[in-house]
């Protein structure tokens, strides 16, 4: 279990260190939108680059040891609205919501839970906001006790009730009252109604329905819309994947938990196309591979919880989905980092139907192999050979044309960034310059993800040490994100880099000037080792290697 964090304190630390800022903070901010500061942008960039390197440029062998073919895309954020009609987002991408008629606050209906009872022939109810019914029940009982203590008539009635009924706003019978869950509000909630999560805009000079467009709520549909273009231009053969990293937008009713649920976010998605007969094998491959990737980059295995969705949870298109969940310190239950979905042939079939374009895949290699085998017997009889070929084309060619199945590993770059920040945040004790124990905050990032890879210090700014340290800094700068720091005592400089998560600090001292060696300090173990200055680059490259 992760150590619980005070999220307000943690958010302030992230701001003070330059990891994450509230967007537009000088104007009071805007809910659900965040900016990444100097350290945060490097961290998130390293995450995206690690994903691209490990999943797109150099993916591991497939389940049968075969090479995996992957290519990339960068699709437009705004696409033809028909894309979102075909995908089902225009008609069905919505959450039920309720509004308070008094305080005007808006809530997701499935997150509002009621305790109800009929007392003296009159219905009574209270409500709270909670993620699920299990979390809601103790909160409802606590609220009843508080109201009863205040001698509130509803609290007293529910306290005296022989039995309580529990409902969410989506399942509450029409006969029950609908009190607002907001503190100190005695307003009434509306009936649940659909609230489309897509941001709308208009393309063109007139804001009319004909010019309505949407900011994409996911990056996947751009890949499906370009499937045939990629197939025709790259001559790929099944199985193969198309990857994309990009922004997506969802008008979340209630953004919360720091950057976890935001209205603007970045996805790292793969659509992996395969033969229907092999789709289950590939689904299991990507499910296992993606979980292992998070562990390799520093998320503790006990905090990662892969969970196969039940039938009642599956999206309408999904044959099967595994949520790779992480125990964030702000929650008592694991929360989704990534979904690995078996989407079947839903998307390509839907776009084929809507656009009128044939998006079937023709297995040319399989067809040619069948022709060669079946026509071998007629190699000396041209007429008979042509007759048999026409017969095969009529009776068997269709089986080599099919709509591929799709496996989709869809990861959130921002959610993984938040998970990395939470996992890395550590408070421990280390000796100061005088050997006295001192509490420090250290960000224990995996070296591949660390915003700064190494800091170069002169022990003192004299005797040529500063010039030698600057020279080493300039030699390393073209290859790594490194910093040079000469201000303050060496212990203070170490602490600054610990807070930034820098895995290595390299010090130029008096011995450097004599024998060309430097001290390299490990952030986590505090071990210091002398190595030749000429070996520093190799040491860093080894530590940052993906393998």
């Amino acid at each position: 279990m992760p150590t619980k964090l005070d999220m307000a304190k943690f958010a302030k630390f992230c701001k003070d260190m330059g990891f994450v800022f509230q967007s537009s903070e000088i104007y009071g901010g805007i809910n659900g939108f965040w900016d990444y500061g100097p350290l945060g942008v490097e961290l998130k960039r390293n995450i995206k680059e690690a994903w691209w390197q490990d999943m797109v440029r150099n993916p591991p062998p497939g389940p049968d040891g075969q090479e995996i073919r992957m290519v990339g895309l960068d699709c437009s954020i705004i696409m033809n609205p028909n894309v979102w009609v075909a995908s089902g987002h225009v008609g069905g991408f919505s959450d039920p919501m309720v509004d308070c008629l008094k305080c005007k606050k808006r809530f997701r209906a499935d997150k509002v839970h009621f305790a109800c009872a009929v007392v003296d022939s009159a219905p009574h109810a209270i409500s709270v906001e909670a993620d699920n019914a299990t979390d809601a029940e103790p909160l409802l009982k606590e609220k009843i006790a508080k109201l009863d203590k205040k001698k509130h008539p509803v609290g007293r009635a529910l306290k005296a009730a022989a039995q309580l009924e529990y409902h969410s706003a989506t399942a509450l019978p029409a006969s029950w009252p609908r009190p607002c869950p907001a503190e100190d509000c005695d307003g009434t909630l509306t009936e649940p109604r659909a609230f489309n999560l897509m941001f709308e805009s208009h393309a063109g000079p007139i804001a009319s329905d004909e010019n309505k467009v949407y900011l994409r709520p996911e990056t996947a549909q751009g890949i499906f819309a370009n499937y045939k273009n990629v197939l025709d231009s790259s001559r790929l053969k099944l199985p193969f994947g198309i990857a994309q990293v990009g922004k997506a937008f969802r008008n979340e009713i209630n953004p919360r938990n720091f950057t976890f649920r935001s209205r603007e976010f970045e996805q790292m998605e793969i659509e992996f196309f395969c033969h229907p007969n092999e789709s289950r094998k590939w689904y299991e491959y990507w499910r296992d591979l993606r979980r292992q990737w998070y562990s390799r980059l520093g998320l503790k295995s006990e905090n990662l919880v892969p969970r196969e969705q039940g039938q009642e949870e599956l999206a309408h298109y999904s044959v099967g989905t595994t949520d790779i969940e992480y125990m964030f310190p702000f929650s008592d239950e694991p929360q989704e980092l990534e979904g690995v979905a078996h989407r079947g042939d839903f998307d390509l079939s839907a776009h084929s139907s809507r656009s009128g374009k044939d998006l079937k895949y023709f297995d040319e290699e399989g067809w040619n192999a069948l022709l060669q085998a079946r026509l071998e017997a007629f190699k000396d009889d041209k007429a008979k050979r042509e007759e048999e070929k026409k017969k095969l084309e009529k009776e068997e060619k269709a089986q080599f044309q099919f709509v591929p199945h799709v496996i989709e590993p869809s990861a959130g770059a921002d959610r993984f960034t938040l998970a990395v920040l939470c996992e890395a945040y550590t408070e421990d004790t280390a000796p100061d310059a005088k050997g006295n124990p001192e509490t420090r905050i250290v960000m224990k990032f995996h070296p591949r993800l660390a915003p700064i890879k190494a800091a170069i210090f002169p022990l003192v700014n004299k005797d040529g040490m500063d010039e030698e340290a600057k020279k080493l800094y300039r030699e390393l700068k073209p290859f790594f994100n490194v910093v040079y720091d000469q201000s303050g005592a060496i212990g203070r400089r170490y602490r600054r880099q610990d807070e930034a998560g820098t895995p290595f600090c390299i010090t130029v001292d008096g011995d450097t000037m004599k024998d060309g060696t430097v001290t390299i300090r490990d952030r986590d173990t505090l071990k210091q080792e002398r190595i030749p200055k000429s070996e520093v680059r190799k040491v860093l490259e080894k530590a940052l290697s993906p393998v």
Side-chain angles (χ1 to χ4, degrees):
M1 292 285 289
T3 304
K4 288 292 182 182
L5 292 178
D6 179 331
M7 291 307 291
K9 176 184 174 183
F10 180 66
K12 184 179 184 303
F13 170 80
C14 288
K15 175 189 173 182
D16 292 345
M17 288 300 299
F19 286 111
V20 182
F21 303 141
Q22 173 72 58
S23 180
S24 319
E25 186 181 24
I26 62 170
Y27 293 103
I30 177 169
N31 195 19
F33 298 90
W34 300 90
D35 299 333
Y36 288 88
L39 289 181
V41 72
E42 292 289 342
L43 173 62
K44 188 177 173 185
R45 183 188 182 98
N46 291 342
I47 284 171
K48 292 185 290 184
E49 288 182 351
W51 183 87
W52 195 266
Q53 174 64 26
D54 297 348
M55 298 297 122
V56 184
R57 289 198 184 123
N58 186 36
D64 299 323
Q66 68 273 49
E67 289 295 317
I68 294 181
R69 290 162 287 192
M70 298 284 294
V71 295
L73 273 181
D74 186 2
C75 300
S76 173
I77 286 172
I78 294 177
M79 296 185 285
N80 188 303
N82 278 305
V83 169
W84 307 112
V85 174
S87 68
H89 285 83
V90 170
F93 189 61
S94 60
D95 279 338
M97 70 173 188
V98 289
D99 294 295
C100 179
L101 298 173
K102 184 174 182 179
C103 70
K104 307 302 180 185
K105 288 184 178 179
R106 175 171 288 167
F107 307 91
R108 272 183 56 172
D110 60 338
K111 303 296 184 185
V112 177
H113 299 266
F114 295 85
C116 317
V118 174
V119 181
D120 296 331
S121 302
H124 296 81
I126 63 163
S127 67
V128 296
E129 204 178 359
D131 284 338
N132 52 62
T134 302
D135 292 342
E137 190 168 336
L139 295 176
L140 287 164
K141 290 178 178 177
E142 182 182 341
K143 189 169 185 178
I144 290 171
K146 286 182 179 179
L147 291 174
D148 177 55
K149 190 174 182 179
K150 293 178 181 179
K151 299 183 179 180
H152 191 285
V154 175
R156 303 190 87 171
L158 292 175
K159 181 74 172 179
Q163 186 173 355
L164 296 174
E165 292 186 27
Y166 297 98
H167 302 281
S168 72
T170 56
L172 186 70
S175 58
W176 292 112
R178 294 178 173 272
C180 176
E183 196 72 28
D184 300 323
C185 179
D186 58 359
T188 300
L189 298 175
T190 63
E191 292 280 340
R193 54 184 175 175
F195 175 73
N196 196 289
L197 298 179
M198 286 195 293
F199 283 100
E200 295 182 2
S201 187
H202 296 86
I206 300 173
S208 63
D209 285 343
E210 291 77 14
N211 291 329
K212 184 187 292 184
V213 293
Y214 303 95
L215 301 188
R216 66 184 182 195
E218 64 180 28
T219 58
Q221 298 306 321
I223 295 176
F224 295 127
N226 276 294
Y227 158 78
K228 195 170 189 315
N229 287 334
V230 172
L231 198 60
D232 292 345
S233 62
S234 58
R235 301 180 62 82
L236 286 166
K237 305 295 182 185
L238 287 183
F240 66 88
I242 303 176
Q244 179 171 203
V245 177
K247 292 275 191 178
F249 306 83
R250 294 184 185 179
N251 195 11
E252 293 284 355
I253 296 168
N254 186 22
R256 61 191 183 278
N257 291 332
F258 199 18
T259 62
F260 178 80
R261 190 175 296 281
S262 303
R263 289 178 169 137
E264 177 182 342
F265 52 94
E266 202 157 5
Q267 292 181 298
M268 307 181 295
E269 286 197 311
I270 293 169
E271 305 304 328
F272 193 80
F273 301 90
C274 58
H275 193 285
N277 294 342
E278 296 184 335
S279 57
R280 182 70 197 182
K281 173 177 68 177
W282 284 109
Y283 168 62
E284 293 172 355
Y285 167 84
W286 283 107
R287 177 195 64 195
D288 297 341
L289 175 63
R290 292 301 301 140
R291 183 193 183 284
Q292 293 162 9
W293 186 77
Y294 288 111
S295 294
R296 290 204 312 271
L297 289 176
L299 296 194
K300 294 175 184 175
S301 58
E302 62 266 28
N303 291 338
L304 280 173
V305 187
R307 185 181 65 84
E308 188 85 16
Q309 288 189 6
Q311 286 297 316
E312 73 284 354
E313 297 179 85
L314 293 176
H316 63 91
Y317 56 75
S318 179
V319 178
T321 296
T322 295
D323 288 337
I324 300 174
E325 298 178 331
Y326 174 72
M327 277 296 303
F328 284 94
F330 54 74
S331 175
D332 292 327
E333 295 182 343
Q335 302 293 319
E336 184 185 352
L337 266 183
E338 174 169 343
V340 181
H342 186 322
R343 299 180 73 113
D345 64 3
F346 168 78
D347 298 279
L348 291 181
S349 295
H351 286 297
S352 181
S353 176
R354 183 77 186 177
S355 67
K357 305 294 184 184
D358 184 3
L359 299 181
K360 288 189 179 73
Y361 177 84
F362 176 55
D363 182 4
E364 187 175 3
E365 290 181 355
W367 169 244
N368 287 337
L370 176 74
L371 285 180
Q372 184 175 354
R374 294 287 188 88
L375 299 181
E376 176 67 21
F378 310 105
K379 61 182 180 181
D380 297 325
D381 189 337
K382 186 175 181 181
K384 188 66 175 176
R385 182 183 178 89
E386 286 301 313
E387 180 184 342
E388 184 67 15
K389 183 179 179 182
K390 289 179 181 179
K391 180 182 176 183
L392 289 171
E393 287 176 342
K394 182 179 180 181
E395 296 178 356
E396 300 199 39
K397 190 173 184 178
Q399 68 178 298
F400 293 91
Q401 294 177 300
F402 55 88
V403 178
H405 277 196
V406 175
I407 311 303
E408 179 193 74
S410 177
D414 300 275
R415 286 192 178 183
F416 185 34
T417 301
L418 178 59
V420 167
L421 284 166
C422 292
E423 188 85 36
Y425 184 88
T426 308
E427 294 184 12
D428 66 10
T429 301
D432 62 14
K434 296 181 180 179
N436 299 317
E438 181 182 54
T439 300
R440 65 169 185 162
I441 294 175
V442 53
M443 298 299 287
K444 294 187 176 182
F445 297 122
H446 187 285
R448 283 184 73 192
L449 304 184
I452 302 167
K453 306 306 182 186
I456 293 86
F457 307 150
L459 183 62
V460 292
N461 297 317
K462 62 182 182 179
D463 300 331
M465 296 182 205
D466 49 349
E467 288 87 354
E468 193 67 24
K470 286 177 184 177
K471 181 182 176 183
L472 177 59
Y473 163 70
R474 293 190 187 105
E475 289 174 357
L476 296 174
K477 192 176 179 183
F479 307 100
F480 315 100
N481 187 27
V482 295
V483 296
Y484 175 80
D485 189 356
Q486 63 179 17
S487 61
I490 193 75
R492 291 186 179 275
R493 283 180 269 173
Y494 283 151
R495 295 296 180 270
R496 283 199 291 265
Q497 296 306 318
D498 290 342
E499 286 189 326
T502 306
F504 304 106
C505 291
I506 299 158
T507 303
V508 171
D509 55 21
D511 287 339
T512 309
M513 311 308 292
K514 299 174 185 176
D515 60 15
T517 63
V518 295
T519 298
I520 184 165
R521 171 190 182 264
D522 184 278
R523 175 198 63 205
D524 300 334
T525 66
L526 304 181
K527 180 181 177 182
Q528 298 190 36
E529 181 183 1
R530 293 207 72 86
I531 62 172
K533 187 177 68 171
S534 59
E535 296 293 314
V536 170
R537 180 179 166 187
K538 287 183 181 179
V539 170
L540 294 181
E541 285 176 341
K542 182 178 180 181
L544 301 176
S545 172
V547 292

